[in-house]
C-alpha cells in the first residue's frame, strides 16, 4: 500500500512516488477551476496597465501589482469557500437572498464588468492579429468575433479540453517572460531594487492613482468571484458527506488557488518590470534603423513587443509577443464566456446557448472599440484598455460586499464558518479596494472624458 498523504493530514513527512501520484490525483479537480480563474488575471487588460505603469513610473507601482494579487487571492478563496460549503454560487446566493430591486442592479453591473473585460480581450487579440499578419486594426477588431467558433469546438469536448488548452496558453505566456527575466543577463532585474519597490508604497505622481485603480480592476476581476464560486459548487466538495472529506477539499482548493494566482502575479510583475527596463526614461527607442517616439500619449500595447527584442531580436520579437498576447486574449475569452453564463443563469435563471451568449457579449464589446478607433484611429488602443480596467475596478465593491456578507453568516456557511483571519483579510481587502476607487475616481473620470473627446 502507498504511504498516507501526510501533506493533507499533518506535518510534511516522507513521500513515496505513489504518494505523489495520489496527491496529484486529488489536486486535479481543484487545479482546473483555479487555473481557469487565474487566466483572468493575465488578460490583455493586465498587460496594458502593467506596461503603462512600468513605462511611466518605473518600479514605483510594483507594490500595487503585488497588493492587488494578494487581495485577489483572499477574495477568490472566499468565493471558492462559498461555493464549496453552501453548494451555491455567488449569483444564485444574491438572487435567493436579496430582493429583486437589489439583485437585478447587481446583475446589470456584473454584465457591464464582463463587457468591459471582453473589450480588453477584443483589443488585445486585435493587436496580436495586426502584428502577426499586418491586418489593419479596425478589421482585426471585427475578426475577433470569430473566436466564438473556438469556444464551440472546445465545449464539445468538455471542461477538461478547455482546461488543457488554457494550460498551454498560460504556459506560453509565462515561458516568454521567464526567458527575459531569468535567462538573459541584459534584462535580468536587480532583485534588491524590486524588493524595495514592493515594500515602499507610493502614489507620489498625479497620474499614479488612476493607473493604480486600473491595475486593481485588471487584477481583482468582479466576475471571477462569480465564476470561481460556480466552478467548485458542483465539484468534489459538494458531494462530500464526511467532514474530513470537505476539510480536505477546502485545503486542496486553497493550495490550488494560491499557486495559480501566484503564477498570475509573477506574470504581471514581469510585464511591469520589463516595461520599466525597456521604456522608462526613454524619449525614443531605435531598433534596426527604426525610431519609436515615447511619451505620455504612447500606445504602449502596440510597442510592447519591443520588450521581447533582447530575447529573440527584432525579427521574431513581434511574432513572439503577438502569440503570447493572442494566447492571453483567447484564454481570457473562454473564461469570460463561462463567467457570463454563470452570472446570467444565477441571477435570472435564463439560459442561452453558449454561442449566442458569446456573440452577444462580443458584439457589445466590439461596438465601442469600432466607434473609438473610427474616431481617433489606431493610437487609442491603450487608452481603451486602461478605461476597461477602470470600469472593472469601479464594479468591484458590488461583487465583494455581497460575497463577504454571505461568507460571514452561519446561515450560508452552516457548520463551516469562515476562519476569522481569512474573513478579516477579506473585509480589509474590500475596504482598501473601495478606498482606491474613491481616491482614483476623479482621475478616472478625467481619463474617460479625455478618451471620449480624443484630447
Amino acid at each position: 500500500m502507498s504511504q498516507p498523504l501526510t501533506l493533507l493530514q499533518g506535518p510534511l513527512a516522507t513521500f513515496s512516488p505513489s504518494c505523489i501520484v495520489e496527491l496529484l490525483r486529488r489536486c486535479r479537480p481543484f487545479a482546473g477551476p483555479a487555473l481557469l480563474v487565474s487566466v483572468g488575471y493575465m488578460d490583455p487588460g493586465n498587460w496594458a496597465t502593467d506596461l503603462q505603469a512600468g513605462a511611466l513610473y518605473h518600479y514605483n507601482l510594483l507594490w500595487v501589482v503585488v497588493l492587488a494579487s494578494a487581495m485577489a487571492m483572499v477574495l477568490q478563496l472566499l468565493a471558492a469557500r462559498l461555493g464549496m460549503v453552501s453548494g451555491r454560487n455567488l449569483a444564485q446566493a444574491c438572487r435567493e437572498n436579496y430582493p429583486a430591486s437589489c439583485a437585478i442592479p447587481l446583475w446589470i453591473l456584473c454584465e457591464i464588468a464582463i463587457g468591459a473585460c471582453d473589450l480588453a480581450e477584443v483589443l488585445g487579440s486585435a493587436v496580436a492579429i495586426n502584428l502577426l499578419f499586418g491586418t489593419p486594426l479596425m478589421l482585426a477588431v471585427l475578426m475577433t468575433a470569430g473566436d466564438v467558433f473556438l469556444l464551440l469546438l472546445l465545449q464539445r469536448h468538455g471542461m477538461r479540453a478547455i482546461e488543457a488548452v488554457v494550460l498551454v496558453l498560460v504556459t506560453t505566456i509565462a515561458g516568454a517572460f521567464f526567458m527575459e527575466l531569468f535567462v538573459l543577463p541584459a534584462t535580468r532585474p536587480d532583485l534588491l531594487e524590486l524588493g524595495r519597490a514592493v515594500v515602499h508604497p507610493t502614489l507620489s505622481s498625479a497620474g499614479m492613482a488612476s493607473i493604480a485603480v486600473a491595475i486593481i480592476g485588471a487584477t481583482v476581476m468582479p466576475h471571477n468571484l462569480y465564476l470561481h464560486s460556480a466552478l467548485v459548487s458542483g465539484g468534489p466538495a459538494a458531494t462530500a458527506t464526511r467532514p474530513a472529506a470537505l476539510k480536505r477539499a477546502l485545503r486542496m482548493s486553497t493550495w490550488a488557488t494560491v499557486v495559480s494566482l501566484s503564477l498570475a502575479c509573477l506574470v504581471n510583475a514581469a510585464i511591469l518590470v520589463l516595461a520599466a527596463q525597456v521604456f522608462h526614461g526613454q524619449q525614443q527607442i531605435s531598433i534596426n534603423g527604426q525610431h519609436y517616439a515615447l511619451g505620455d500619449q504612447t500606445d504602449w500595447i502596440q510597442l510592447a513587443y519591443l520588450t521581447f527584442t533582447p530575447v529573440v531580436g527584432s525579427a521574431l520579437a513581434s511574432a513572439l509577443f503577438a502569440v503570447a498576447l493572442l494566447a492571453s486574449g483567447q484564454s481570457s475569452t473562454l473564461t469570460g464566456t463561462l463567467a457570463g453564463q454563470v452570472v446570467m443563469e444565477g441571477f435570472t435563471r435564463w439560459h442561452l446557448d453558449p454561442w449566442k451568449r458569446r456573440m452577444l457579449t462580443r458584439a457589445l464589446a466590439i461596438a465601442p472599440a469600432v466607434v473609438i478607433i473610427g474616431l481617433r484611429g489606431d493610437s487609442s488602443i491603450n487608452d481603451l484598455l486602461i478605461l476597461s480596467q477602470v470600469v472593472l475596478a469601479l464594479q468591484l465593491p458590488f461583487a465583494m460586499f455581497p460575497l463577504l456578507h454571505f461568507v460571514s453568516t452561519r446561515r450560508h456557511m452552516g457548520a463551516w464558518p469562515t476562519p476569522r483571519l481569512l474573513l478579516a483579510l477579506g473585509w480589509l481587502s474590500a475596504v482598501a479596494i473601495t478606498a482606491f476607487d474613491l481616491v482614483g475616481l476623479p482621475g478616472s473620470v478625467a481619463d474617460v472624458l479625455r478618451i471620449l473627446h480624443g484630447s
Side-chain angles (χ1 to χ4, degrees):
M1 293 181 64
S2 62
Q3 297 181 11
L5 294 178
T6 52
L7 178 61
L8 301 180
Q9 301 170 0
L12 180 63
T14 59
F15 278 94
S16 67
S18 59
C19 176
I20 295 175
V21 170
E22 178 65 12
L23 175 60
L24 294 176
R25 184 186 68 81
R26 293 190 181 185
C27 285
R28 173 66 185 79
F30 307 101
L35 177 66
L36 287 175
V37 168
S38 73
V39 299
Y41 298 92
M42 294 178 277
D43 75 342
N46 289 90
W47 290 48
T49 57
D50 297 332
L51 284 165
Q52 187 158 342
L56 297 183
Y57 303 111
H58 202 238
Y59 300 151
N60 289 336
L61 288 175
L62 184 60
W63 68 275
V64 179
V65 173
V66 175
L67 177 61
S69 298
M71 294 189 294
M73 288 182 194
V74 170
L75 293 168
Q76 293 295 163
L77 289 175
L78 291 172
R81 194 174 188 91
L82 173 67
M84 296 172 75
V85 173
S86 71
R88 316 297 287 166
N89 64 57
L90 180 56
Q92 291 170 331
C94 289
R95 186 195 71 229
E96 294 170 0
N97 293 276
Y98 294 154
S101 59
C102 178
I104 291 177
L106 289 176
W107 168 52
I108 293 172
L109 288 170
C110 191
E111 293 285 6
I112 292 173
I114 292 172
C117 183
D118 204 54
L119 172 60
E121 288 142 16
V122 164
L123 297 171
S125 297
V127 170
I129 293 171
N130 170 261
L131 291 173
L132 284 172
F133 307 111
T135 307
L137 274 173
M138 179 69 81
L139 178 57
V141 165
L142 297 175
M143 288 172 62
T144 61
D147 69 12
V148 65
F149 300 109
L150 172 64
L151 179 68
L152 290 174
L153 178 64
L154 291 176
Q155 286 196 322
R156 288 181 180 178
H157 299 282
M159 287 299 299
R160 291 288 181 91
I162 294 177
E163 291 170 1
V165 170
V166 168
L167 178 61
V168 172
L169 297 176
V170 170
T171 303
T172 300
I173 299 167
F177 290 112
F178 177 85
M179 288 181 62
E180 289 216 61
L181 290 178
F182 300 106
V183 175
L184 297 180
T187 51
R188 193 175 300 158
D190 183 340
L191 296 181
L192 184 60
E193 187 177 4
L194 295 182
R196 286 196 295 265
V198 171
V199 299
H200 289 93
T202 178
L203 290 175
S204 56
S205 177
M208 291 176 72
S210 58
I211 295 182
V213 170
I215 291 174
I216 291 172
T219 305
V220 193
M221 308 180 81
H223 55 285
N224 263 357
L225 302 178
Y226 291 93
L227 177 61
H228 203 174
S229 63
L231 290 173
V232 299
S233 62
T239 58
T241 57
R242 295 179 300 166
L246 181 55
K247 183 177 181 180
R248 186 184 303 116
L250 288 168
R251 183 179 296 120
M252 297 310 302
S253 177
T254 297
W255 278 106
T257 300
V258 169
V259 170
S260 296
L261 295 191
S262 294
L263 172 62
C265 176
L266 291 175
V267 169
N268 288 325
I271 296 171
L272 186 150
V273 169
L274 288 173
Q277 291 180 310
V278 174
F279 295 132
H280 182 70
Q282 304 291 327
Q283 293 184 337
Q284 71 172 20
I285 291 181
S286 299
I287 295 179
N288 292 341
Q290 287 188 297
H291 303 286
Y292 302 90
L294 305 178
D296 290 345
Q297 303 303 318
T298 299
D299 208 46
W300 300 108
I301 193 70
Q302 296 192 61
L303 295 182
Y305 73 89
L306 297 176
T307 61
F308 282 71
T309 53
V311 178
V312 296
S314 58
L316 292 178
S318 177
L320 179 59
F321 171 79
V323 169
L325 183 59
L326 191 60
S328 169
Q330 291 306 303
S331 57
S332 298
T333 291
L334 293 174
T335 58
T337 300
L338 295 175
Q341 290 177 255
V342 166
V343 167
M344 176 176 286
E345 294 180 16
F347 273 109
T348 68
R349 294 179 178 166
W350 295 347
H351 177 76
L352 282 180
D353 291 335
W355 72 271
K356 293 179 182 178
R357 169 75 207 193
R358 183 80 212 104
M359 289 302 294
L360 176 62
T361 304
R362 183 49 53 99
L364 293 175
I366 287 177
V370 169
V371 171
I372 297 297
I373 293 174
L375 292 175
R376 295 189 52 195
D378 295 350
S379 63
S380 57
I381 297 293
N382 208 80
D383 282 343
L384 277 172
L385 281 167
I386 298 295
L387 175 60
S388 70
Q389 305 313 296
V390 170
V391 171
L392 287 174
L394 296 178
Q395 302 300 321
L396 268 170
F398 302 101
M400 294 185 300
F401 288 110
L403 171 64
L404 287 163
H405 167 222
F406 296 132
V407 297
S408 299
T409 60
R410 184 172 294 275
R411 176 185 173 188
H412 298 94
M413 306 309 291
W416 294 90
T418 306
R420 291 182 178 179
L421 177 59
L422 180 60
L423 195 58
L425 290 174
W427 282 103
L428 184 61
S429 298
V431 171
I433 290 171
T434 304
F436 268 104
D437 281 355
L438 294 175
V439 170
L441 185 59
S444 300
V445 171
D447 288 342
V448 170
L449 295 176
R450 176 180 57 82
I451 293 170
L452 293 178
H453 288 88
S455 56

